[in-house]
Every structure is written in C-alpha cells, then in structure tokens.
C-alpha cells in the first residue's frame, strides 16, 4: 500500500507565515527597536538635564515609568493616528488627479453597495458584517476610520495627562505652583507639543499625494506603474 509523502514541514510553515506577513512583522520589529532606542537616548538626555540642574540622575527603570518618557512616546502616536484618521475620511470625498493615493476623480463619495460589495452584493468570502445590510454593515463600513480616530483620541488624551504630570514636575522643581489638568490644556507648552507634530503629518500626507503624481517607485503599491501617465489616477504599481 503506497502512501504519499507530506512535503510540508513546520519550517516551511514558519517561512510562509513570515512571507505572508512580512510587512507587519518587519515594521513591528522596527517599532520595538526604535522604541528601545528612544528609551536609551531619552534616559541619557533626561539624566544630563538632571545633572545640569543639580539633581540626582535616575535609573532606566525609573525613567521608563516617568511622565517624561510617556509624553514623548504618546505625543508622536497621536499625531500619526490623526494623520491616518483624516486621510481615510478625506479620501472618501477629496481627490488628487494623477495620484495613486486618490480614487478616480469622478468616484467621490461612499460609492454604491454594488461597488462596495455589501448587503445583497456581498460575495461568499465577504466578512459577515458586510453581508447583513443592517447597522452592523453601517458600522463595519466605517470601522477603519472609527478605530483610527478612537486611537487618536485615546493617545491624545494620554499625552495630555502625561504632559500635565511632566509639566507639574518641572513646576515643582522650579518652585512654582502646579496647575490643574484643564489649566494645562490651555498652556502653550501643550499646544506646542501638539501642533509641532500635527504640522509635520499634514506636510507628509500632502507631499505623498502630490509627489506621487510625477514621481515613481518601481514595484511599490504606493506608486503608479513607472510608465503610467502623470494624469492617470488611482493606479498602483
């Protein structure tokens, strides 16, 4: 009685997982590396400030649980998720002729149920909430933007609390009175931290949308095909 050898192996299975999820895995690893680099360099910078002010330096563990480290981390998170949130919703209604980041110029709006393959037009492989045609489809139809917006609000709130704690720590070090959280929200320090991140995100998104009209990156889905005309819109390479 003959048997067919099973050519698959755990090793090949691992390679397949890594291949199929390489983008998320690589950027996840890079995130952890960069966060570790920020922790080490931020700790060194923080202790330099402590010493210059005649205060004892702190351990790495103490720094990682401090409001100074927390505010430096989450102030960047909130600006990134604001960028995604605005871009996801803006590209429903706004277009950029010639950009791969844009829909076709005549396709503004949420599009029809047939185009979006929801309700009666859903296929057998469509997510369950896309097939129901009720409130679940309404929520699922906007779930990406809602989650990005929610993460933005949570991280911005975390930034305000961590920034408030760090601000009051500096106030006490300078022998000044601490402020309440609502009062901190009106401080120039809070809005300086916020807007310096926001302006850079808006510049980056706008640059990507416009530069992609005239420039190419071969093989990237973020770019049009190299030979595509500048006026071609919504094409990816």
């Amino acid at each position: 009685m003959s048997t067919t050898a099973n050519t698959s192996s755990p090793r090949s299975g691992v390679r397949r997982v890594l291949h199929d999820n390489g983008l998320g895995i690589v950027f996840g690893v890079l995130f952890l590396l960069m966060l570790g680099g920020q922790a080490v360099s931020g700790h060194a910078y923080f202790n330099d400030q402590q010493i210059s002010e005649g205060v004892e330096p702190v351990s790495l563990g103490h720094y990682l649980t401090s409001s100074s480290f927390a505010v430096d981390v989450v102030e960047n998170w909130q600006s990134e998720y604001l960028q995604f949130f605005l871009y996801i919703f803006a590209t429903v209604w706004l277009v950029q002729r010639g950009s791969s980041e844009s829909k076709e110029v005549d396709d503004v709006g949420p599009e029809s149920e047939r185009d979006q393959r929801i309700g009666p037009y859903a296929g057998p492989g469509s997510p369950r909430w896309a097939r129901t045609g009720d409130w679940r489809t309404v929520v699922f139809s906007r779930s990406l933007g809602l989650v990005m917006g929610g993460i933005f609000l949570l991280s911005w709130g975390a930034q305000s609390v961590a920034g408030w704690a760090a601000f009051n720590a500096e106030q006490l070090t300078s022998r000044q009175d601490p402020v309440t959280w609502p009062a901190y929200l009106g401080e120039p320090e809070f809005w300086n931290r916020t807007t310096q991140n926001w302006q850079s995100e808006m510049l980056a998104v706008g640059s990507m949308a416009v530069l992609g009209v005239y420039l190419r990156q071969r093989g990237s889905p973020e770019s049009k095909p190299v030979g595509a005309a500048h006026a071609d819109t919504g094409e990816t390479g």
Side-chain angles (χ1 to χ4, degrees):
M1 181 177 179
S2 63
T3 59
T4 302
N6 186 355
T7 58
S8 64
S9 67
R11 184 178 179 85
S12 64
V14 170
R15 285 201 297 267
R16 171 55 62 183
V17 170
L18 293 175
H19 176 272
D20 291 354
N21 301 280
L23 193 59
I25 291 171
V26 167
F27 275 91
V29 171
L30 288 174
F31 162 71
L32 294 176
L33 289 174
M34 298 305 167
L35 186 62
Q38 180 183 356
V40 173
S41 59
H43 175 236
Y45 176 69
F46 183 82
N47 277 342
D48 285 345
Q49 289 185 311
Q50 292 285 96
I51 293 171
S52 68
E53 295 170 0
V55 183
E56 286 292 319
V58 301
S59 67
L60 178 61
H62 184 279
Y63 173 70
L64 294 180
T65 57
S66 70
S67 57
S68 295
F69 178 67
V71 70
D72 287 342
V73 171
V74 294
E75 74 173 88
N76 288 288
W77 289 3
Q78 58 88 8
S79 63
E80 297 294 339
Y81 281 101
L82 174 65
Q83 173 196 138
F84 290 133
F85 168 71
L86 291 178
Y87 198 67
I88 288 166
F89 276 104
T91 50
V92 175
W93 299 99
L94 304 178
V95 296
Q96 179 67 49
R97 182 181 293 275
S99 176
S100 62
E101 299 292 316
S102 168
K103 297 191 296 185
E104 291 288 350
V105 294
D106 295 325
D107 290 340
V108 296
E111 302 176 1
S112 67
E113 290 188 349
R114 182 188 294 274
D115 291 334
Q116 289 293 308
R117 290 178 285 175
I118 58 178
Y121 302 103
S126 298
R128 185 178 65 179
W129 279 35
R131 299 195 302 264
T132 61
D134 54 17
W135 64 270
R136 288 170 290 183
T137 299
V138 174
V139 172
F140 187 67
S141 298
R142 296 160 178 80
S143 56
L144 181 60
L146 291 173
V147 169
M148 291 295 183
I151 296 174
F152 157 66
L153 291 175
L154 288 174
S155 55
W156 195 23
Q159 177 204 333
S160 71
V161 173
W164 171 47
F167 182 81
N168 277 341
E170 292 181 4
Q171 289 287 97
L172 293 173
T173 301
S174 304
R175 300 182 183 277
Q176 300 182 53
D177 293 333
V179 301
T180 63
W181 179 66
Y184 173 69
L185 297 183
E187 287 286 336
E189 197 262 2
F190 171 69
W191 288 104
N192 178 57
R193 282 183 175 274
T194 297
T195 54
Q196 68 176 318
N197 285 282
W198 287 2
Q199 57 86 13
S200 63
E201 301 301 337
M202 300 308 106
L203 176 63
V205 171
S207 298
M208 184 67 180
V210 175
L211 292 176
V213 176
Y214 304 103
L215 306 178
R216 309 287 189 269
Q217 183 62 50
R218 184 171 180 169
S220 174
E222 299 302 315
S223 166
K224 293 188 291 188
V226 177
H230 290 328
D232 290 348
T233 306
E235 292 192 27
T236 57

